[in-house]
Amino acid sequence: MSTKLEESLSTERIYMSKPDVGELEEQYVLEAMRSGWIAPLGPDVDAFEAEMKARVGVDHAVALASGTAAIHLGLLAMGIKADDIVVTSTMTFAATANAITYTGATPYFVDSDAITGNIDPELLQRALQELVEKGTPAAAVVPVDLLGKAADYTAIEAVCREFGVPVLADAAESLGATHAGKQAGSFGRAAVLSFNGNKIMTTSGGGMLLTDDEDLAAQVRYLSTQARQPVVHYEHTDIGYNYRMSNLLAALGRAQLSRLDDMIERREMWRNKYREFFATVPGIEIFGGNDAEDNYWLTSIIVDPAVTPVSSDELRAILDQANIESRPLWKPMHMQPVFMGSAGTITGVSQGLYERGLTLPSGSQMPEDQLVRVLKVLADTLRREPQ
Ligand SMILES: *Cc1c(COP(=O)(O)O)cnc(C)c1O
């Protein structure tokens, strides 16, 4: 091999989580195209919904254009309307809070448990109590499963039952994870998945609403297809949306779902290698606690700058110089300019995780030599000696 080629290979950019698609996906999409079902809906959408229902263990699934659309319609179908208050986790991607605002409701942010970053059930209880006392009880709770770890639904569902508030679980990041042995996506009155490009499986863009509630599923389906009444002429009595998944993308999703366990296994391998590496690095911990019920979507670390030679932000810059992508944890919603005025129950835990957290390359598509390159840069930086 020429040195030039060697050089270009060794400096190829390493991404955090590139879509993992190949020949199987090509074959499924090509077959869907050749079948003539190009428009939204079709046999691959039906099959994708059926396969996902079976996988997660729920009665109904509605494939949609995105996870954001699924949150939006899930809230509408649960009766959320203008001026309602919807409680959610401050430690999340903006999509969760954005979708709440689409209904005209106001998000109310609750801070994190220090280990997992997921919504702290005791704070949630306090928030729901305070909202009742103020005369503005919460209309719904949207817990978020952060970076592949399901929230503590045992505690969350108990608290929400006590206050009579329905739960819409944002499981966009947790497909394949479990809580108390039950699949992520099977909790709450309904749950939402995302198949965006960087998620554990992708349809390039897409999402799904999962529920055991037949009426809720029917309402989401109805709203997602422009709220058309079942008559031959186009009759409308509600405002609808164009939120259904296209048949071609569902075909891609079916190929991905058939490989989901293999892709999870590969991400688990990276997690284990990172764990082994950081076990001997003082001041750095793998984020999230133990892995028993994780889907290993992304591996993140928490850096204690008082102990390590660099901060998480300096480490990110060093990795970037070596052409390796890494990213801080989600910047909490209560710190975002757009949501700065929103109310919440905030302790500062999520802010600390944001300031010290860094997500490392974790994709199932990543070749092993790329992980070796990441570990080499980490070793050079953190140990100041070769591994
Ligand atoms: C990705 C994501 C979403 C949004 O899903 P899209 O399919 O990108 O619309 C919602 N919530 C969380 C927590 C996410 O990570």
Side-chain angles (χ1 to χ4, degrees):
M1 205 190 282
S2 76
T3 20
K4 229 187 182 147
L5 182 54
E6 252 169 15
E7 223 169 68
S8 79
L9 281 179
S10 71
T11 54
E12 189 191 332
R13 184 143 179 95
I14 300 175
Y15 292 95
M16 250 175 39
S17 184
K18 243 169 102 163
D20 181 356
V21 295
E23 280 173 28
L24 190 69
E25 284 75 9
E26 278 179 28
Q27 186 192 319
Y28 272 63
V29 172
L30 198 59
E31 276 171 25
M33 282 193 78
R34 288 179 177 161
S35 77
W37 289 94
I38 312 298
L41 303 181
D44 282 294
V45 172
D46 297 342
F48 187 35
E49 288 174 349
E51 286 156 8
M52 190 60 82
K53 278 191 312 197
R55 163 89 199 194
V56 177
V58 293
D59 293 339
H60 304 280
V62 186
L64 296 164
S66 69
T68 311
I71 300 172
H72 183 192
L73 294 192
L75 290 171
L76 288 180
M78 281 164 45
I80 303 307
K81 55 187 189 316
D83 302 327
D84 279 347
I85 289 175
V86 175
V87 173
T88 190
S89 181
T90 191
M91 192 76 175
T92 185
F93 176 50
T96 319
N98 284 343
I100 291 170
T101 69
Y102 301 166
T103 67
T106 305
Y108 179 103
F109 299 115
V110 173
D111 220 312
S112 302
D113 157 82
I115 308 274
T116 63
N118 283 325
I119 197 166
D120 179 331
E122 275 177 39
L123 289 181
L124 174 62
Q125 159 121 30
R126 205 199 293 168
L128 293 179
Q129 182 65 43
E130 278 175 18
L131 287 168
V132 166
E133 283 164 12
K134 275 197 224 147
T136 55
V141 173
V142 185
V144 179
D145 301 342
L146 193 62
L147 304 181
K149 201 164 251 105
D152 180 359
Y153 289 102
T154 308
I156 291 166
E157 288 187 339
V159 169
C160 290
R161 218 175 296 123
E162 183 190 329
F163 286 89
V165 185
V167 172
L168 177 67
D170 183 346
E173 302 177 6
S174 62
L175 176 62
T178 58
H179 167 73
K182 258 187 86 187
Q183 291 291 318
S186 68
F187 293 93
R189 179 144 172 235
V192 162
L193 302 176
S194 165
F195 312 119
N196 196 33
N198 61 351
K199 295 283 155 66
I200 197 142
M201 61 164 271
T202 185
T203 59
S204 85
M208 199 175 272
L209 182 119
L210 303 174
T211 183
D212 288 333
D213 184 330
E214 189 176 356
D215 294 340
L216 190 137
Q219 181 68 6
V220 167
R221 220 176 271 282
Y222 163 72
L223 290 174
S224 71
T225 44
Q226 305 286 22
R228 242 164 68 193
Q229 293 296 325
V231 288
V232 284
H233 62 279
Y234 282 19
E235 176 97 357
H236 302 271
T237 53
D238 293 296
I239 297 295
Y241 301 85
N242 181 9
Y243 274 178
R244 281 293 259 166
M245 180 180 280
S246 109
N247 196 62
L248 295 182
L249 300 188
L252 176 53
R254 293 183 66 198
Q256 287 270 284
L257 184 55
S258 77
R259 295 178 48 233
L260 179 61
D261 288 322
D262 291 340
M263 293 193 291
I264 288 175
E265 207 172 285
R266 225 172 139 78
R267 289 179 190 261
E268 178 180 5
M269 188 163 86
W270 304 149
R271 174 73 54 88
N272 291 336
K273 286 183 189 288
Y274 280 126
R275 260 197 201 288
E276 195 184 322
F277 175 83
F278 286 112
T280 57
V281 179
I284 294 189
E285 270 177 56
I286 300 279
F287 171 67
N290 82 55
D291 289 335
E293 295 201 287
D294 217 278
N295 75 355
Y296 306 97
W297 176 44
L298 295 177
T299 294
S300 308
I301 53 174
I302 300 293
V303 180
D304 181 352
V307 179
T308 52
V310 290
S311 68
S312 61
D313 200 48
E314 286 163 341
L315 188 54
R316 190 192 52 71
I318 290 165
L319 287 167
D320 190 51
Q321 264 173 16
N323 221 1
I324 296 167
E325 184 189 24
S326 64
R327 195 175 60 192
L329 300 187
W330 299 128
K331 181 174 184 176
M333 290 304 112
H334 72 273
M335 295 172 69
Q336 297 285 358
V338 68
F339 293 118
M340 212 78 103
S342 301
T345 300
I346 299 300
T347 56
V349 168
S350 59
Q351 181 171 354
L353 294 173
Y354 162 64
E355 285 166 357
R356 292 181 294 119
L358 193 69
T359 299
L360 301 171
S362 317
S364 49
Q365 156 283 346
M366 179 168 67
E368 185 143 11
D369 62 333
Q370 291 197 348
L371 185 85
V372 170
R373 236 179 82 197
V374 176
L375 292 180
K376 171 86 168 60
V377 175
L378 290 171
D380 290 349
T381 310
L382 297 166
R383 293 184 178 146
R384 306 221 177 280
E385 65 190 50
Q387 208 191 338

